[in-house]
Amino acid sequence: MEDMIFYDRLQFAFTITFHYIFPQLTMGLSLIIILFKGYYLKSNKEIYNDAAKFFMKIFAINFTMGVITGIPMEFQFGTNWAKFSELTGGIIGQTLAMEGTFSFFLESSFLALFIFGEKLMGQKLHFLTGFFVFLGSWASGYLILATNAWMQHPVGYEVLENGKFVLTHFSQLFSNPWLLPAFLHNQMASLVTSSFVVASIGAFYLLIKKHQEHGKLFLKTGVIIGLISSLLVAFPTGDLNAKNVAKYQPASFAAMEGIFETEEAGAEIVLIGQPNMVEKKLDNKIAVPNILSFLTYQEWDKQIIGMDHFTKDELPDNIPALYYSYHIMVGLGTIFIGIMGISMLFLYRKKLYNFKPLLWTILFLVPFPFIANITGWYTAELGRQPYLVYGLLKTVDGVSPTVSSGNTLFTLLGFVALYMLLGLLFLVLVGKTIYHGPQHEKH
Amino acid sequence: MEIFWFIIVALVLTIFFILDGYDFGTGIIHLFFAKTEKDKEVISKAAGLFWDSNEVWLVAAGGLLFMAFPTLYASAFSGFYLPLIIVLWLIIFRAIGLELRSQIDHPVWKTIWDKSFGVSSLLLTLFFGIALGNVARGVNLGGVENGVSAYEAHYFFLPLWNSSFSPSTTHPGVIDWFTIVIGIIAVITLAIHGANWIVLKTNASINTKLKSVVFNLNIALAVLTVFSVSIWHIIEPHPLDNYLEYPAFLIFPMVYFAGLTGTFFVKKFKKEVYAFVCSTLMIVGGITSTLATMFPTLLPSTNNINPDLTIYNTTTSEYGMSVAMPWMIIGIILIIIYFIIQKKLTAGKIDDMDYGH
């Protein structure tokens, strides 16, 4: 049983981590693309149209990867988590089926039109198809997060005698208090990723002295959107999420923040420190007193419940992983604000395009928003453990009863091998597109 | 209500087999009949431009099945664990093949990805056919050993095959001689469908040859169909019961035979689209006739202890199904609109158009 749950969790974590790389880029990129396209309609300058079409190419590669790696996600609910599917399918099936029926169809139909239809449709219709792609990809994110929100904070359900969850209030799935902050936080984070990618491609062109006009445009756009979205990710969306966790999952909150002991007269915020699970304390701690209480409740001396308040059963099962995920996310987020803030200053003084150290920094920053997003997702998911449906259905009770751990290990290894190949392929394709550059688009 | 959702899921699944069916079929044709580089390129384009929007239907079918019949979803997906994961890998391989072939202009490179596309299309079709065969044959629900259920009544696990290779043992594997026959029927059907698609969408030089290929494959298919119907009673003692009870269901086999007969005239058709319509009718008829013999069963049980999974004992709550009905109807209307717009824009022969690839 131990093995089984371990391989099942590892497989899901691995496949979803790999999958999530792609939608987090496409969601943000779709917005940036229609901004370029919209600006082209207003200004009639070819360079904006080039930019829109260039990033649509990168979008298309990412979208394909997202589809390829997304199908296994849906299958795994049934193959590896059959018990979970059986018990909750009537509820989360609603949001997942809506995702397939509405947003996924919208996105894929209009993506084909956007890529192939420019000459046939004229510019305004072309913009509209781009807008529908954006709408589809954001609706997709919304419905997936509605699914996840229900698992984090179940609403509108009833549990039958046989353990099955059935839906009682459809509308509550979408008015779930967990949903909106999580969705906005996620969308802003994906905007961070895509704006950093845009900025980084711009910096690359300026450094290699190719496609420089486009490079300047990309860099400028990336930095402006990057700064705005980095700020929005932290406040208010990140803040609202943290408050939700404190309210609905206090045990996860204590573990995330590294609060081992309940602090009656105001809790400190931990900046650095390593959880020591044996002695139940943080090693090498650097913390600022009372800030956490203020951030969470706007009161300096408000009590924050620590991990000592909960039994072992109620606490997340991997506290160090949760703590590190959360702190890596927050730490990187802070660094993003700093670097984008400095870049903005240089941009404002018209020195950014020639300032090599900053260009190199922006170029090499590209993997980090992906890491921040993924650790953010881990924070949410590790925080929910040991439950699949928070407080109601344990993860151990959700696996497929008839699939042995050997089979899961075999398929896990297969996925690892195949995804290595996919990853390599993705880098080659995107690398080629970037190297060819946007001017290639002109006919 | 159950019947509404059964029809919806069956409809979406059938559309998936019609749409992704032709690009599976182009892969099979590509593997066996495409000889010149020009033909290979045109054929992979005829699939490559459409495969991802076709695969959307698979995701939709999965999602709807998950929502409306969660118990069936859980039971079948974990029971057919290995074949389904292999299907996933094949889907990925096929996609890689299609997307990669044109990236580097070298014969060895192209051969690798052409084979990857062709072989995975062939195996996928075979597996989907085998899956249909399994669903028709039924499985040992509850994993009954010596008259006792090893798991809950609707859970099971099938190995890929067992040593006897026979569909009538108490523990058949996923692959036995019956499901293999159904698998081969699927391969031939989709090969015909794919060939018709290539003829319809391209000006490839092998198009004339493909028409005789379709004719020959059709003969093989007719023979196999008669054979599979005649062995049907081995897995289902009274195969025609449902047709006697609901005579209206006879329309489904008639659709199949109309398509099958029509395909014999493939060389005479003035318009290429007629041939494609015929193979579409075969797919629609084939799937619906199979479902009609089973209705309302979704997955028959091969033991006497645990009951079959039907549309009635696998559904979610009445409320869940009714609340999803209006959004599903809106969804279907939207999908039809997208679909028409998309097909209009991609109408015509592929090799005459500039798709910027």
Side-chain angles (χ1 to χ4, degrees):
Chain A
M1 196 66 191
E2 286 277 297
D3 271 8
M4 197 159 114
I5 192 89
F6 176 72
Y7 291 134
D8 279 314
R9 282 182 67 182
L10 196 60
Q11 179 165 328
F12 201 83
F14 173 74
T15 46
I16 203 160
T17 302
F18 195 81
H19 171 65
Y20 186 49
I21 291 171
F22 307 108
Q24 66 164 299
L25 185 60
T26 51
M27 285 188 293
L29 209 50
S30 64
L31 180 61
I32 296 179
I33 289 167
I34 60 164
L35 288 177
F36 278 134
K37 189 78 203 182
Y39 210 76
Y40 168 65
L41 283 182
K42 262 182 84 176
S43 69
N44 223 0
K45 285 182 189 153
E46 275 302 323
I47 188 169
Y48 294 108
N49 203 24
D50 289 349
K53 285 194 282 184
F54 172 72
F55 283 109
M56 207 46 157
K57 272 192 167 176
I58 293 180
F59 181 98
I61 299 167
N62 271 274
F63 181 74
T64 304
M65 286 288 171
V67 176
I68 294 178
T69 56
I71 298 173
M73 302 318 305
E74 190 190 25
F75 270 49
Q76 278 181 63
F77 280 122
T79 51
N80 296 33
W81 302 95
K83 206 65 207 171
F84 169 66
S85 301
E86 186 194 353
L87 297 178
T88 65
I91 296 179
I92 63 170
Q94 294 270 354
T95 42
L96 287 178
M98 284 174 99
E99 200 253 348
T101 312
F102 289 107
S103 29
F104 200 28
F105 269 104
L106 188 67
E107 202 177 356
S108 61
S109 318
F110 284 96
L111 176 62
L113 295 184
F114 192 88
I115 293 174
F116 302 127
E118 192 189 357
K119 283 180 212 155
L120 292 163
M121 292 186 297
Q123 291 306 329
K124 279 197 178 139
L125 271 178
H126 195 229
F127 170 81
L128 201 65
T129 53
F131 180 76
F132 280 127
V133 173
F134 157 72
L135 205 66
S137 73
W138 280 50
S140 214
Y142 183 74
L143 290 165
I144 292 298
L145 280 166
T147 312
N148 188 261
W150 187 82
M151 292 165 70
Q152 298 283 1
H153 179 61
V155 288
Y157 66 94
E158 188 184 8
V159 187
L160 301 182
E161 263 174 40
N162 56 13
K164 279 195 186 182
F165 292 77
V166 291
L167 191 62
T168 52
H169 294 91
F170 181 66
S171 60
Q172 285 186 18
L173 287 180
F174 303 99
S175 57
N176 189 338
W178 193 281
L179 175 56
L180 195 63
F183 174 66
L184 293 176
H185 187 57
N186 188 66
Q187 296 318 99
M188 287 309 116
S190 73
L191 205 50
V192 170
T193 305
S194 43
S195 59
F196 277 42
V197 168
V198 172
S200 167
I201 295 173
F204 176 68
Y205 286 155
L206 291 176
L207 284 168
I208 62 164
K209 301 200 186 307
K210 272 177 81 180
H211 317 298
Q212 296 204 45
E213 281 313 302
H214 291 94
K216 285 177 186 168
L217 172 67
F218 296 171
L219 186 60
K220 187 171 135 191
T221 314
V223 166
I224 294 171
I225 300 178
L227 180 63
I228 298 170
S229 54
S230 304
L231 288 169
L232 289 174
V233 145
F235 190 86
T237 65
D239 179 57
L240 282 172
N241 263 299
K243 284 179 176 143
N244 259 344
V245 179
K247 189 170 169 190
Y248 299 115
Q249 300 183 354
S252 318
F253 187 71
M256 263 161 62
E257 299 283 0
I259 309 293
F260 279 92
E261 279 168 36
T262 303
E263 295 179 64
E264 301 296 345
E268 58 194 13
I269 193 155
V270 177
L271 301 179
I272 292 175
Q274 294 92 43
N276 180 336
M277 296 313 293
V278 181
E279 292 176 33
K280 304 228 179 292
K281 69 178 188 64
L282 282 177
D283 293 337
N284 311 315
K285 184 167 74 173
I286 301 180
V288 190
N290 294 63
I291 297 284
L292 186 60
S293 293
F294 180 74
L295 286 177
T296 316
Y297 299 107
Q298 282 74 49
E299 283 174 47
W300 295 102
D301 49 3
K302 179 96 174 173
Q303 176 211 46
I304 299 263
I305 298 168
M307 284 180 262
D308 56 344
H309 189 83
F310 301 96
T311 62
K312 199 168 171 287
D313 253 17
E314 296 167 315
L315 281 171
D317 48 17
N318 196 337
I319 291 165
L322 172 59
Y323 169 89
Y324 285 123
S325 297
Y326 177 64
H327 278 80
I328 289 170
M329 172 188 77
V330 173
L332 283 175
T334 315
I335 292 171
F336 296 159
I337 295 175
I339 292 175
M340 283 294 144
I342 294 168
S343 306
M344 194 68 192
L345 211 66
F346 274 79
L347 183 69
Y348 183 70
R349 293 193 176 161
K350 301 193 175 11
K351 283 179 188 161
L352 179 64
Y353 301 141
N354 303 315
F355 189 57
K356 285 206 171 158
L358 206 49
L359 292 181
W360 281 107
T361 311
I362 291 174
L363 179 61
F364 281 107
L365 207 57
V366 117
F368 293 98
F370 287 98
I371 294 172
N373 264 344
I374 288 166
T375 48
W377 195 259
Y378 285 176
T379 307
E381 299 302 87
L382 288 166
R384 199 191 58 228
Q385 296 302 328
Y387 294 102
L388 278 173
V389 181
Y390 193 75
L392 297 170
L393 178 66
K394 284 250 162 90
T395 309
V396 270
D397 300 324
V399 291
S400 301
T402 52
V403 178
S404 68
S405 58
N407 283 313
T408 319
L409 178 61
F410 165 71
T411 57
L412 171 65
L413 294 175
F415 275 114
V416 170
L418 206 51
Y419 281 12
M420 292 290 166
L421 185 67
L422 272 183
L424 198 67
L425 153 68
F426 172 73
L427 291 177
V428 171
L429 288 183
V430 170
K432 241 182 93 176
T433 312
I434 293 174
Y435 189 76
H436 275 245
Q439 277 157 345
H440 215 70
E441 276 291 279
K442 283 187 182 162
H443 291 290
Chain B
M1 193 69 77
E2 285 88 355
I3 293 173
F4 171 82
W5 283 105
F6 174 69
I7 292 171
I8 292 287
V9 173
L11 182 74
V12 173
L13 209 58
T14 309
I15 294 175
F16 164 71
F17 279 113
I18 294 168
L19 294 178
D20 231 9
Y22 71 68
D23 65 64
F24 289 170
T26 51
I28 301 168
I29 294 295
H30 189 286
L31 186 64
F32 292 112
F33 301 104
K35 299 286 183 247
T36 70
E37 166 56 26
K38 180 77 192 146
D39 286 344
K40 285 181 184 171
E41 194 190 316
V42 169
I43 292 175
S44 25
K45 236 183 214 176
L49 285 173
F50 302 99
W51 75 266
D52 50 357
S53 54
N54 293 340
E55 223 117 279
V56 173
W57 291 89
L58 179 66
V59 177
L64 291 170
L65 193 65
F66 184 31
M67 184 210 74
F69 304 103
T71 306
L72 177 77
Y73 191 80
S75 168
F77 274 60
S78 61
F80 297 126
Y81 185 81
L82 290 173
L84 278 173
I85 300 276
I86 292 171
V87 160
L88 279 177
W89 293 346
L90 289 171
I91 288 176
I92 296 173
F93 251 110
R94 217 173 69 91
I96 300 179
L98 281 169
E99 297 293 322
L100 274 194
R101 117 175 269 284
S102 58
Q103 293 297 325
I104 295 176
D105 200 9
H106 190 280
V108 174
W109 174 266
K110 292 200 163 172
T111 308
I112 292 173
W113 298 117
D114 279 346
K115 294 291 173 217
S116 157
F117 165 52
V119 171
S120 45
S121 298
L122 175 73
L123 290 177
L124 261 178
T125 313
L126 190 66
F127 259 102
F128 276 121
I130 288 173
L132 193 66
N134 270 275
V135 170
R137 180 201 61 201
V139 296
N140 189 6
L141 282 173
V144 170
E145 303 272 355
N146 306 321
V148 185
S149 270
Y151 309 108
E152 288 164 64
H154 54 269
Y155 278 107
F156 65 98
F157 183 82
L158 282 200
L160 281 179
W161 56 77
N162 74 5
S163 51
S164 73
F165 222 62
S166 155
S168 47
T169 60
T170 45
H171 288 281
V174 170
I175 301 171
D176 60 41
W177 61 257
F178 173 74
T179 58
I180 287 272
V181 170
I182 305 292
I184 294 171
I185 289 179
V187 170
I188 297 178
T189 309
L190 293 195
I192 293 173
H193 194 48
N196 288 340
W197 175 254
I198 295 168
V199 173
L200 177 66
K201 288 300 283 185
T202 73
N203 288 320
S205 60
I206 54 166
N207 279 3
T208 326
K209 186 178 137 201
L210 280 183
K211 287 186 184 173
S212 10
V213 168
V214 167
F215 185 81
N216 293 337
L217 285 175
N218 209 43
I219 295 174
L221 182 62
V223 173
L224 272 176
T225 304
V226 173
F227 177 65
S228 72
V229 172
S230 64
I231 57 173
W232 193 257
H233 63 90
I234 294 176
I235 57 146
E236 167 72 57
H238 306 288
L240 294 178
D241 281 4
N242 251 354
Y243 290 110
L244 295 175
E245 197 173 331
Y246 314 97
F249 283 178
L250 283 169
I251 185 93
F252 302 128
M254 278 156 69
V255 167
Y256 179 79
F257 283 107
L260 187 72
T261 318
T263 308
F264 278 114
F265 299 100
V266 66
K267 287 181 205 165
K268 297 216 173 96
F269 286 137
K270 290 225 170 59
K271 280 192 177 168
E272 288 146 346
V273 69
Y274 291 150
F276 188 72
V277 169
C278 286
S279 47
T280 304
L281 290 179
M282 286 194 319
I283 295 173
V284 173
I287 295 173
T288 49
S289 320
T290 314
L291 294 177
T293 53
M294 297 164 60
F295 180 85
T297 300
L298 294 168
L299 191 61
S301 173
T302 55
N303 61 60
N304 304 323
I305 295 164
N306 295 311
D308 297 343
L309 291 182
T310 68
I311 62 171
Y312 301 107
N313 65 12
T314 58
T315 44
T316 181
S317 68
E318 195 71 13
Y319 174 77
M321 284 190 291
S322 60
V323 83
M325 218 160 114
W327 69 248
M328 187 66 224
I329 291 169
I330 297 171
I332 288 178
I333 294 169
L334 283 175
I335 289 167
I336 292 171
I337 295 171
Y338 304 157
F339 189 76
I340 291 171
I341 299 176
Q342 200 197 353
K343 286 295 154 189
K344 276 212 161 147
L345 272 163
T346 51
K349 302 273 183 187
I350 284 168
D351 31 5
D352 295 343
M353 280 189 251
D354 170 28
Y355 279 114
H357 264 237

